[in-house]
Amino acid sequence: MRMYDLPDARGHFGPYGGVFVAETLTAALDELRTAYERARQDAEFDAEFRYELKHYVGRPSPVYHAKRLSAKCGGAQIYLKREDLNHTGAHKINNTIGQALLARRMKKPRVIAETGAGMHGVAAATVAARYGMQCVVYMGSQDVKRQAQNVYRMKLLGAEVVLVESGSKTLKDALNEAMRDWVTNVDSTFYIIGTVAGPHPYPMMVRDFQSVIGEESIAQMQELAGRQPDAVLACVGGGSNAMGIFYPYLANTKVKLIGVEAAGEGLATGKHAASLCAGKPGVLHGNRTYLLQDANGQITETHSISAGLDYPGVGPEHAWLKDSRRAQYVAITDAEALQAFHELCRLEGIIPALESAHAVAHAMKIAPDLRSDAILLVNLSGRGDKDMHTVAERSGMRF
């Protein structure tokens, strides 16, 4: 089986992925797998999905040559895939539209979601309003403080936002509560997972819906630069924006794939969210993957300046790409991400999400050591409106 044919029928990417859930969710996942298999082979479903991406989201998002940033760094040319220009301001809307269309097919009038940075919650609330569905979003209270603007956006769109006070009060705990809701209300509820993690078929399904990013990039890079990039970079929390741009490139082994995790205050400090760089395999949220855990297998608390990367695990396909060495995974600190954030603002007039700034930072780090005709394509997964308070506080500015 070729790498880009994975997962297998049981949802495995090598030793990762699979289905590790309570028996009460088995029937719901079986129903979902059957519905998705039918939908992905249905030309009408695909046509409606593509129509919504074009006319509602505003796709294709452009690829942009960041000439001034490239000149400042020296060396390689840096290009940006502008997912920040999508409706709602990030890549998340691609996946939520796909899952909402599937929920409608399955006659589920209620959708639930978990969110960290708030962008997936906003995207879920947006599509729920678009299709007339009830929406409940679970969000850790720590993230609510960091992302107040997105909480208000969700409420404006008609969603109920449930604050989660358990554990570290971040994305991991929000996902736990969403899972509990789904078990309780499985007959009427569709769980829109926001990343390429969770039990099968979610890692495959989210990847498939996000693959439009890479599909567009291949055509756009050929038109804009006359060839494909030497490397594609994307930030990795759970990893949906990265898998979205990586997957169409898997078969082209001439293109290097680089995932950028959150090193927080530094890998040596333990205050980070770099599961692939510093974790080990285990089971969390229905799948086997790399996790941050202690010697007893207990999940450890994470830290990142970016709420969307503040998660102790990663999608199982990323775990397989790491082990197979098809992709390389690195980590960028809070300070490095902040520096890249400011550089992109001042040199290109683009305010990136702090998540995306991690990928920009690594591109800036490696560009000087590459030849001037080398090309780095960075997936700019979202815009930074949501991060203004965080950046202002860390920069000592008044907001």
Side-chain angles (χ1 to χ4, degrees), residues 223-246:
E223 179 183 352
L224 195 59
R227 68 180 182 88
Q228 296 309 312
D230 296 285
V232 173
L233 298 86
C235 65
V236 177
S240 64
N241 92 88
M243 277 314 309
I245 198 166
F246 285 1

Side-chain angles (χ1 to χ4, degrees), residues 37-239:
E37 278 304 316
R38 288 174 181 163
R40 74 191 305 222
Q41 296 172 29
D42 186 336
E44 287 188 12
F45 180 87
D46 184 67
E48 185 172 13
F49 177 58
R50 303 287 171 176
Y51 179 91
E52 294 289 85
L53 290 181
K54 180 178 180 180
H55 297 282
Y56 191 61
V57 177
R59 303 201 70 92
S61 64
V63 166
Y64 169 73
H65 185 188
K67 293 181 181 179
R68 295 192 69 223
L69 181 66
S70 302
K72 173 73 181 292
C73 294
Q77 301 305 302
I78 299 173
Y79 288 74
L80 307 175
K81 177 59 172 166
R82 299 290 307 277
E83 291 299 288
D84 59 309
L85 295 179
N86 291 339
H87 178 45
T88 72
H91 69 290
K92 293 294 187 180
I93 191 73
N94 305 324
N95 168 55
T96 56
I97 280 182
Q99 290 198 51
L101 290 175
L102 190 59
R104 193 176 65 180
R105 274 195 165 211
M106 295 172 70
K107 296 180 169 52
K108 306 283 186 180
R110 179 176 181 265
V111 296
I112 60 173
E114 85 297 326
T115 195
M119 297 308 295
H120 175 60
V122 168
T126 297
V127 296
R130 169 78 178 87
Y131 301 121
M133 298 169 168
Q134 181 187 357
C135 180
V136 177
V137 179
Y138 290 88
M139 191 171 187
S141 60
Q142 181 67 29
D143 292 335
V144 167
K145 293 176 185 176
R146 292 194 276 189
Q147 303 293 342
Q149 176 179 292
N150 276 343
V151 174
Y152 185 57
R153 289 172 75 192
M154 287 181 254
K155 291 180 178 179
L156 277 177
L157 291 160
E160 176 188 355
V161 181
V162 178
L163 273 65
V164 177
E165 298 286 358
S166 59
S168 59
K169 306 175 185 178
T170 57
L171 182 57
K172 167 181 68 72
D173 312 290
L175 210 152
N176 289 339
E177 290 302 317
M179 284 278 195
R180 293 188 184 100
D181 183 316
W182 195 25
V183 169
T184 307
N185 303 289
V186 71
D187 290 338
S188 64
T189 298
F190 187 105
Y191 182 11
I192 301 180
I193 288 184
T195 194
V196 285
H200 180 60
Y202 281 105
M204 173 181 70
M205 182 167 65
V206 177
R207 176 202 70 194
D208 291 351
F209 289 139
Q210 291 291 4
S211 288
V212 63
I213 303 171
E215 291 165 4
E216 289 177 1
S217 296
I218 289 172
Q220 291 167 323
M221 288 305 300
Q222 194 64 42
E223 179 183 352
L224 195 59
R227 68 180 182 88
Q228 296 309 312
D230 296 285
V232 173
L233 298 86
C235 65
V236 177

